[in-house]
Amino acid sequence: MGFEFTDVDYCKVAMIDSVNEEEITKEQFTTVEFRFAKLMATIIFISFFG
């Protein structure tokens, strides 16, 4: 799961059992294109340095 934030000074991550779905927006999640680009960058990095 990924999130995009700007101008963040502090972040706390916690595991929870349930969440109120009304508080979640689509803008909080990374786009499919960004996830694909990150995957490709990882594959290229590993192929050169792995």
Side-chain angles (χ1 to χ4, degrees), residues 38-48:
K38 189 167 43 172
L39 173 65
M40 292 306 295
T42 303
I43 291 171
I44 291 169
F45 182 81
I46 290 172
S47 66
F48 281 110

Side-chain angles (χ1 to χ4, degrees), residues 2 6 10 12 20-21 26 30 36 41 44-46 48 50:
T6 56
Y10 175 78
K12 180 179 179 181
N20 184 358
E21 293 181 18
K26 280 190 165 187
T30 57
F36 179 73
I44 291 169
F45 182 81
I46 290 172
F48 281 110

